[in-house]
Amino acid sequence: MKDLIEKALLAQCRKSVDAANLACYVRQKKRQEYQKVTGIAAKTVSGRMAIWDLGNQFNPYFVKRHADTYSRRLEKVITANSYEPQPCLNIEIPKDSGKKRTISQYTVVDAALSCWVYESLLKKNLAKLSKFAFAFRRDLNSTDAVEMIAKRIRGKARTFCVEIDFKNCFDAIDHKYLMQVLDFNFNISPQERHMITAFLKGRYARGKEHYEKGTFKPRHSGIPQGSTVSLFLANAVFYELDKALENLNVTFARYADDILVLSDTYDAANSAAQFIADFSSKSGIPINFGKSGGISLISPISGEIKTKPHFDFLGYQISANEVRLSSRRKHTIKKTISEIINRRLLLHPRKGDLNKKRFYGGTDWDLVVCVNELRRRIYGRSLTEEDVIGEIKHGTASPRSLVSAHPLVNTNKDYVELDGWLQGCLRRALIQRAALVKKLKVKGIVTPDRRILTTGTWYKNKEISQDTRLPSLTRAWSYARRLLEKRGSKAFESGYEGY
């Protein structure tokens, strides 16, 4: 056991060091960009993470130097069923919906043990998980889930749909219910059971200030988001519901706490809704009735109950004839693009600290940077315009972009609309930018029309080569479709990388 624990510790140290180096690189890039755009010297970036000040076990370099000592000590406490994780630091990060998600940051030592237990549990119990549970797995992903649902409803004149939304799912899970599900249905050793319980009931502090003061609270419900073992527990807690739905004559997909059920009959749909309600009562996870769609009839014509032409699932809008982007996903794409344009073109002119040197050689270099960043976000970091319009080859990169997350969209309508919106948004921003920089007495500022923005012919500098063609979401979508056809859903990232 000692050697396995030490291996897990060293792996987690490498992961933590890589994360720290990436964070330092991002901060350094932002510092350099700030100095270029404003001409103002910025503070020096430190390579040390603030969380390391909370204790040696948060510092991967310290843990690596003492990995042998830690692994010997951990072997003893695990064998004796006396392991307890150090208190974790809870931080809040924003969600696309505008709300916040609480993430628990564990020490390097505890994160390593959490990952070690997760790998052990998954290896022994993967076959027990439902084939309709698509989250937090290496063999399945969200694209697989939507592909199955879209195929099930394709061409159907009538389909009953059950949409139930849970409220604060992973914060509300009843520990007693979860442990009963694990005990009766999964292969778990006494040591693993003790460690799961220790993570579930472990103490936490809300924010760095409370941690430094030693103001810790025990967790009485829910699973800690930020602990890798929670990825297994998040699927395990739904085990009984998954099995109940499998025994019905329905099609369903579950991605974490997002559940969608399709049925040819109202009775089966009603039974599925009742199973979900019963699960909510037993597990302690409340249903958000304000956001739950309940039972609907998916049909182009009115029916005997609430009828609608489509439903939303995992960022898609799905009907019998089309798979499109959901309104919420389109809003997220627009928000991301708007933030890039605002930060690159309008932020510093509004603040009055724009560096005049950003306009030289007859070029607005902030616009060049803006177009390049838009390309990275729309196509993916490693893809060029030629890659996107070219043939899919063996070594062609799988994209990670605003578009690649939804390759199953089977019509270009939404992306054509978004391209038009992007051109207009950029054009309006440039008009505002021109008005703002007039105070700097900069001459030669141009505001290209849509056609010139799209072709990139506004860029006249022959000494420095730049691709200033405006990226297209429609072309990115076409590339994703061709990649899906050639390589299947596994060509696209599932979003799962562990904690």
Side-chain angles (χ1 to χ4, degrees):
M1 182 186 292
K2 186 263 181 189
D3 291 340
L4 293 175
I5 295 173
E6 185 172 1
K7 183 179 179 180
L9 285 173
L10 294 176
Q12 187 62 42
C13 286
R14 288 193 296 270
K15 188 186 298 184
S16 298
V17 168
D18 288 345
N21 289 339
L22 177 60
C24 181
Y25 171 78
V26 171
R27 292 199 302 270
Q28 183 65 27
K29 288 288 289 183
K30 288 182 177 180
R31 175 179 181 267
Q32 293 171 352
E33 290 170 358
Y34 176 81
Q35 291 183 160
K36 282 183 180 180
V37 174
T38 66
I40 302 171
K43 294 180 180 179
T44 303
V45 174
S46 171
R48 182 180 178 83
M49 303 294 288
I51 195 172
W52 296 354
D53 297 331
L54 299 181
N56 288 333
Q57 289 192 30
F58 282 102
N59 187 330
Y61 294 103
F62 183 91
V63 174
K64 183 179 179 180
R65 290 196 300 270
H66 298 85
D68 181 73
T69 301
Y70 277 123
S71 58
R72 292 180 187 278
R73 185 187 309 164
L74 289 168
E75 182 182 34
K76 292 180 181 179
V77 297
I78 291 172
T79 303
N81 284 338
S82 58
Y83 165 76
E84 287 187 15
Q86 293 292 311
C88 63
L89 173 67
N90 279 6
I91 59 173
E92 292 185 333
I93 60 173
K95 299 167 64 175
D96 290 340
S97 63
K99 297 181 180 179
K100 293 183 178 181
R101 174 184 288 111
T102 299
I103 295 295
S104 299
Q105 290 188 292
Y106 283 86
T107 68
V108 175
V109 173
D110 294 322
L113 286 184
S114 176
C115 190
W116 179 56
V117 175
Y118 166 80
E119 294 292 347
S120 175
L121 292 173
L122 192 64
K123 184 177 181 180
K124 293 187 294 185
N125 296 287
L126 180 59
K128 293 180 178 292
L129 296 177
S130 172
K131 62 181 180 180
F132 302 111
F134 293 88
F136 313 132
R137 300 171 64 153
R138 297 184 180 93
D139 57 330
L140 297 172
N141 59 32
S142 60
T143 303
D144 293 317
V146 176
E147 188 171 34
M148 184 193 72
I149 290 295
K151 286 181 178 179
R152 167 63 176 77
I153 196 176
R154 186 181 302 158
K156 291 273 189 178
R158 291 165 50 89
T159 303
F160 291 95
C161 174
V162 183
E163 298 171 282
I164 303 294
D165 186 84
F166 291 109
K167 184 177 181 180
N168 300 326
C169 174
F170 301 122
D171 295 329
I173 293 171
D174 182 81
H175 289 171
K176 183 178 179 181
Y177 174 78
L178 173 59
M179 296 311 297
Q180 286 176 347
V181 171
L182 292 173
D183 289 339
F184 286 111
N185 302 289
F186 293 92
N187 297 319
I188 300 177
S189 69
Q191 288 78 23
E192 289 168 341
R193 190 185 194 283
H194 173 80
M195 293 177 72
I196 290 172
T197 302
F199 275 107
L200 290 177
K201 298 185 179 300
R203 296 179 298 160
Y204 65 91
R206 290 191 177 277
K208 191 168 180 284
E209 183 179 345
H210 287 290
Y211 202 104
E212 291 171 335
K213 292 180 179 179
T215 309
F216 304 122
K217 297 180 179 180
R219 184 178 290 101
H220 297 294
S221 64
I223 57 177
Q225 296 186 67
S227 167
T228 304
V229 72
S230 295
L231 301 177
F232 177 82
L233 301 179
N235 271 328
V237 73
F238 285 92
Y239 177 86
E240 292 182 346
L241 174 59
D242 290 344
K243 293 303 178 183
L245 293 175
E246 284 181 10
N247 292 330
L248 278 175
N249 187 25
V250 298
T251 298
F252 80 98
R254 182 179 61 78
Y255 192 86
D257 61 333
D258 288 318
I259 300 178
L260 185 85
V261 182
L262 299 178
S263 171
D264 288 332
T265 67
Y266 176 79
D267 287 343
N270 189 54
S271 295
Q274 187 59 55
F275 283 150
I276 296 173
D278 292 342
F279 165 78
S280 171
S281 177
K282 291 187 293 184
S283 66
I285 305 173
I287 293 174
N288 188 340
F289 290 100
K291 294 177 63 177
S292 295
I295 302 176
S296 305
L297 179 62
I298 307 302
S299 175
I301 58 176
S302 298
E304 60 273 20
I305 66 169
K306 179 178 63 176
T307 307
K308 55 186 182 180
H310 51 70
F311 56 84
D312 290 353
F313 186 56
L314 300 182
Y316 289 92
Q317 182 188 96
I318 304 172
S319 69
N321 301 316
E322 290 183 327
V323 179
R324 301 182 61 171
L325 291 174
S326 69
S327 297
R328 183 174 174 180
R329 179 59 186 169
K330 285 191 287 187
H331 173 76
T332 298
I333 292 174
K334 287 182 178 181
K335 181 181 178 182
T336 301
I337 290 175
S338 296
E339 288 173 349
I340 293 172
I341 293 173
N342 179 70
R343 185 175 71 255
R344 294 300 184 187
L345 301 180
L346 299 175
L347 176 63
H348 293 288
R350 283 172 177 160
K351 293 171 67 176
D353 59 5
L354 183 66
N355 185 1
K356 291 183 181 180
K357 293 182 180 180
R358 297 305 291 167
F359 304 91
Y360 64 89
T363 301
D364 182 346
W365 291 97
D366 285 337
L367 177 55
V368 173
V369 172
C370 180
V371 171
N372 285 333
E373 183 171 351
L374 287 171
R375 182 179 297 106
R376 288 195 297 271
R377 295 306 301 273
I378 293 173
Y379 292 166
R381 183 167 295 276
S382 61
L383 294 177
T384 66
E385 195 72 48
E386 284 67 32
D387 291 328
V388 170
I389 63 177
E391 181 183 353
I392 303 293
K393 299 178 181 179
H394 176 71
T396 303
S398 297
R400 296 191 68 178
S401 68
L402 286 172
V403 176
S404 66
H406 295 82
L408 294 173
V409 171
N410 60 14
T411 172
N412 68 1
K413 295 176 184 177
D414 295 319
Y415 290 117
V416 170
E417 174 193 326
L418 285 168
D419 276 337
W421 171 86
L422 168 59
Q423 295 163 12
C425 183
L426 186 57
R427 164 80 173 155
R428 290 190 296 273
L430 287 171
I431 293 173
Q432 292 181 50
R433 179 177 172 83
L436 290 168
V437 300
K438 276 186 179 180
K439 298 179 181 179
L440 299 175
K441 299 181 180 179
V442 177
K443 297 181 180 180
I445 300 300
V446 295
T447 53
D449 61 26
R450 288 191 177 205
R451 182 185 61 81
I452 294 176
L453 274 175
T454 301
T455 61
T457 51
W458 57 269
Y459 183 77
K460 305 295 184 182
N461 193 312
K462 297 182 179 180
E463 297 179 1
I464 304 175
S465 177
Q466 290 286 338
D467 185 355
T468 52
R469 289 171 290 181
L470 193 63
S472 163
L473 288 104
T474 305
R475 289 197 293 275
W477 164 80
S478 176
Y479 175 83
R481 290 291 295 176
R482 287 182 282 122
L483 188 64
L484 177 69
E485 182 179 339
K486 190 149 191 174
R487 296 190 191 168
S489 63
K490 298 302 180 289
F492 300 90
E493 298 286 344
S494 67
Y496 162 71
E497 295 180 355
Y499 287 112

